[in-house]
C-alpha cells in the first residue's frame, strides 16, 4: 500500500469515527406519533330505537363515552371524539353510514353493531378502507371464515352461548333436551349448536318444534315441550320471541317442571319479564354488574347516567373502546393494522375482563358465567337478578384456535 493510499484510508477512518461520535453525542429524539388527522374518532353504530335498543342502543354510547372520559378525552395529545348512529337493523343503512364515516368524517373505528348482518357489512368495509371494526354481534363467523386483520369480536358468540351452554348443562346431568326454535337463520344456528353439543356430551335431543318470528301465542309449542320427557327446554330465540316464550312458560308452570335455558338473554330482558316469570332460567353471560366490587363501582356510575344497570353488550363496548385507546397510545398511531396488532399484543385488563386477550383470529377470550335467575324472595331489590352458578374459564367456553376457520390462522 502506498503512502497516499494509507493517508486516504486513515482520513476516511477519522471521518467515520467523528460521525459516529457526533451521533452518539446527539440527544435521542422520540418518533412523532403518526395520525391521519388531529383527532381519534370513534363511532358507535347500533340499534338506537328498535328491538336491540335496550340491550345496546344509547347505553352503548354512554359506555363508550365512559371509556373516553377515563383517558381524559385525549390520547397522545389528540382529542378523542365520539359519534353514533342508528342502523335500524338494516345492513344497507349500516354500511352506508359506515362508508360515510370512514371516507368523509375521519372515523377511525366503529364499535357495537348488535346485529350480525350489519356487522358483516361493516367488517368487510373496514378491511377495504383500513379501518377497525369492534363487533359485539353473536355470529361465530366474525372470527371464523369472515375474520379480518382489522376487526375483533367482544362479549359473546353463537358458540359460547349455544354450544357452550349445552355442553356445560349436559355435563352437569341435564342430558335430555327439547328445543323450541324460532324459524329463521338465527334460531336454526343456535339450535344446531345446541344439538351438536348435547350429542357430543352424551345427551339426547328428544324433540324440536319451530315457531314463526314474532309469535304472540306460544301455547301449542309449549304444550309439546311440556309433554316431552326432556329435563331441559331450550328456547332458541331472542328479544320478544324469547320473552313471550318465557312469560307463557311460567303461566303453564313449565318453569317449575323443567329447567329452562336460552342462548341469548340480557339483563334488560329479565328486567322487563320480572322475576315472577323469569326465575329459574339459566343462560351464559359475559358480564354481571353485581359480580364483584369493581363491576359494582363501574355499573353504579353507569346507572347514574342511564338509570339502568348495564347489559353485557354495554359493558363489552366500554371494554373494547378502552382497549382500542390503550392500543393507540402504545402504538403511537391510528393506523388500523398497527393498532389491531397492538390490541392482540396487550392483555385486556378492565372491569369487564381480567387477563383477557385478543387472539390471532380476532376473538377476545375471557371468562364467562353460567347464571340462574333468582326467585323474587332471593332478590334484594331492582336489578338484583342473577345467581352466578359457575365461572367458566375463557379457554373452556370459546373454541380452541386450532379449530378456527379464520384464514389469518390457517
Amino acid at each position: 500500500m502506498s503512502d497516499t493510499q494509507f493517508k486516504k484510508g486513515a482520513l476516511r477512518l477519522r471521518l467515520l469515527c467523528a460521525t459516529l461520535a457526533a451521533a452518539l453525542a446527539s440527544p435521542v429524539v422520540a418518533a412523532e406519533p403518526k395520525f391521519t388527522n388531529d383527532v381519534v374518532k370513534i363511532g358507535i353504530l347500533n340499534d338506537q330505537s328498535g328491538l336491540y335498543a335496550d340491550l345496546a342502543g344509547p347505553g352503548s354510547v354512554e359506555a363508550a363515552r365512559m371509556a373516553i372520559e377515563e383517558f381524559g378525552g385525549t390520547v397522545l395529545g389528540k382529542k378523542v371524539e365520539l359519534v353514533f348512529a342508528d342502523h335500524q337493523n338494516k345492513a344497507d343503512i349500516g354500511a352506508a353510514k359506515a362508508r360515510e364515516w370512514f371516507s368523509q368524517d375521519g372515523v377511525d373505528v366503529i364499535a357495537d353493531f348488535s346485529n350480525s348482518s350489519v356487522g358483516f357489512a361493516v367488517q368487510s368495509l373496514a378491511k377495504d378502507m383500513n379501518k377497525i371494526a369492534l363487533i359485539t354481534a353473536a355470529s361465530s363467523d366474525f372470527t371464523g371464515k369472515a375474520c379480518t386483520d382489522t376487526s375483533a369480536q367482544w362479549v359473546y358468540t353463537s358458540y359460547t352461548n349455544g354450544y357452550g351452554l349445552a355442553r356445560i348443562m349436559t355435563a352437569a346431568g341435564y342430558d335430555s333436551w327439547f328445543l323450541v326454535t324460532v324459524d329463521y337463520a338465527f334460531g336454526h344456528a343456535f339450535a344446531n349448536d345446541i344439538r351438536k353439543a348435547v350429542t357430543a356430551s352424551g345427551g339426547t335431543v328428544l324433540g324440536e318444534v319451530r315457531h314463526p318470528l314474532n309469535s304472540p301465542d306460544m301455547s301449542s309449542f309449549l304444550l309439546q315441550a311440556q309433554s316431552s320427557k326432556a329435563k331441559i327446554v331450550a328456547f332458541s330465540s331472542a328479544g320478544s320471541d324469547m320473552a313471550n316464550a318465557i312469560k307463557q312458560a311460567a303461566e303453564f308452570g313449565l318453569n317449575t317442571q323443567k329447567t329452562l335455558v336460552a342462548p341469548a338473554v340480557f339483563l334488560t330482558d329479565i328486567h322487563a319479564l320480572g322475576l315472577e316469570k323469569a326465575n329459574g332460567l339459566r343462560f351464559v353471560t359475559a358480564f354481571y354488574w353485581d359480580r364483584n366490587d369493581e363491576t359494582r363501582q363501574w355499573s353504579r356510575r353507569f346507572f347514574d347516567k342511564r338509570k339502568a344497570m348495564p347489559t353485557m353488550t354495554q359493558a363489552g363496548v366500554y371494554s373494547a373502546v378502552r382497549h382500542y385507546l390503550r392500543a393507540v397510545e402504545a402504538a403511537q398511531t391510528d393506523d388500523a393494522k398497527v393498532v389491531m396488532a397492538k390490541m392482540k399484543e396487550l392483555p385486556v385488563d378492565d372491569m369487564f375482563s381480567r387477563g383477557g386477550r385478543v387472539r390471532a383470529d380476532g376473538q377476545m377470550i375471557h371468562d364467562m358465567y353460567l347464571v340462574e335467575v333468582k326467585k323474587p324472595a332471593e332478590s334484594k331489590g331492582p336489578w338484583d337478578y342473577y345467581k352466578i352458578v359457575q365461572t367458566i374459564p375463557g379457554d373452556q367456553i370459546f373454541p380452541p384456535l386450532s379449530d378456527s376457520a379464520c384464514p389469518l390462522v390457517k
Side-chain angles (χ1 to χ4, degrees):
M1 178 184 292
S2 68
D3 287 347
T4 302
Q5 289 173 319
F6 179 81
K7 289 177 180 177
K8 286 182 178 178
L11 178 61
R12 282 196 296 268
L13 181 60
R14 285 198 299 272
L15 289 171
L16 177 60
C17 290
T19 302
L20 287 172
L24 290 170
S26 299
V28 176
V29 179
E32 188 71 20
K34 295 180 180 179
F35 290 85
T36 52
N37 48 46
D38 285 333
V39 300
V40 174
K41 207 162 190 178
I42 298 169
I44 301 298
L45 185 61
N46 63 18
D47 178 357
Q48 289 280 309
S49 57
L51 182 65
Y52 303 129
D54 286 344
L55 68 89
S60 287
V61 177
E62 190 59 58
R65 188 175 290 119
M66 290 171 69
I68 294 167
E69 287 172 355
E70 282 191 20
F71 275 75
T74 65
V75 58
L76 296 173
K78 305 296 182 183
K79 183 180 178 182
V80 182
E81 293 184 357
L82 180 66
V83 296
F84 60 92
D86 187 347
H87 58 44
Q88 301 173 46
N89 291 304
K90 295 179 181 178
D92 57 341
I93 291 176
K97 176 53 69 173
R99 185 178 295 279
E100 175 189 321
W101 277 353
F102 287 152
S103 62
Q104 299 177 29
D105 298 339
V107 169
D108 299 293
V109 54
I110 302 178
D112 198 352
F113 308 111
S114 300
N115 177 295
S116 290
S117 62
V118 178
F120 284 122
V122 179
Q123 181 185 35
S124 177
L125 186 65
K127 175 179 172 56
D128 292 343
M129 302 183 74
N130 195 35
K131 303 287 186 175
I132 286 179
L134 301 176
I135 303 159
T136 65
S139 176
S140 297
D141 285 342
F142 286 115
T143 53
K145 61 185 180 182
C147 76
T148 73
D149 56 0
T150 63
S151 63
Q153 186 176 27
W154 246 253
V155 187
Y156 78 116
T157 72
S158 54
Y159 180 97
T160 60
N161 285 42
Y163 190 98
L165 171 67
R167 179 173 54 78
I168 290 163
M169 293 298 291
T170 304
Y174 298 89
D175 54 3
S176 56
W177 292 62
F178 189 93
L179 309 182
V180 180
T181 304
V182 62
D183 196 10
Y184 75 108
F186 173 92
H188 299 170
F190 271 116
N192 289 339
D193 277 345
I194 289 171
R195 188 183 297 275
K196 289 176 186 175
V198 170
T199 303
S201 302
T204 306
V205 176
L206 299 180
E208 179 180 9
V209 61
R210 294 182 174 180
H211 62 84
L213 183 66
N214 296 323
S215 294
D217 183 4
M218 303 286 291
S219 57
S220 64
F221 313 113
L222 294 172
L223 285 170
Q224 293 181 63
Q226 192 172 40
S227 63
S228 76
K229 296 185 182 300
K231 296 176 183 177
I232 279 193
V233 176
F235 297 101
S236 296
S237 56
S240 59
D241 282 314
M242 186 275 297
N244 280 338
I246 298 300
K247 188 183 302 181
Q248 293 175 41
E251 293 167 0
F252 276 85
L254 194 60
N255 60 339
T256 63
Q257 302 163 11
K258 301 179 186 295
T259 298
L260 307 185
V261 299
V265 183
F266 295 84
L267 188 67
T268 44
D269 295 324
I270 305 305
H271 187 69
L273 279 166
L275 298 184
E276 286 284 354
K277 303 291 186 184
N279 74 86
L281 179 67
R282 291 194 179 193
F283 52 92
V284 169
T285 186
F287 179 81
Y288 181 46
W289 72 269
D290 200 20
R291 185 169 62 86
N292 59 34
D293 287 342
E294 192 177 20
T295 58
R296 282 189 285 273
Q297 286 178 359
W298 185 88
S299 298
R300 284 169 182 150
R301 284 168 40 220
F302 180 93
F303 183 89
D304 288 343
K305 299 170 185 292
R306 294 292 308 157
K307 305 309 175 189
M309 286 299 180
T311 65
M312 64 175 175
T313 292
Q314 292 158 349
V317 167
Y318 160 84
S319 175
V321 170
R322 183 181 183 277
H323 193 64
Y324 169 79
L325 291 172
R326 286 186 65 225
V328 169
E329 185 176 58
Q332 300 208 354
T333 181
D334 61 356
D335 180 81
K337 289 184 174 63
V338 177
V339 172
M340 183 53 67
K342 189 61 69 172
M343 290 182 77
K344 292 177 179 178
E345 177 185 323
L346 295 172
V348 183
D349 273 318
D350 53 36
M351 63 84 206
F352 180 84
S353 170
R354 285 295 169 199
R357 68 189 190 279
V358 181
R359 236 169 30 180
D361 58 357
Q363 181 65 62
M364 205 282 267
I365 305 298
H366 55 88
D367 293 350
M368 297 189 75
Y369 310 94
L370 176 66
V371 299
E372 179 180 328
V373 177
K374 291 182 175 181
K375 294 179 174 64
E378 296 173 317
S379 175
K380 297 175 184 176
W383 304 101
D384 178 26
Y385 298 153
Y386 296 175
K387 292 184 291 187
I388 295 179
V389 177
Q390 181 180 346
T391 297
I392 313 160
D395 58 3
Q396 294 181 24
I397 191 67
F398 289 93
L401 190 60
S402 58
D403 290 349
S404 176
C406 173
L408 299 175
V409 176
K410 301 299 181 185

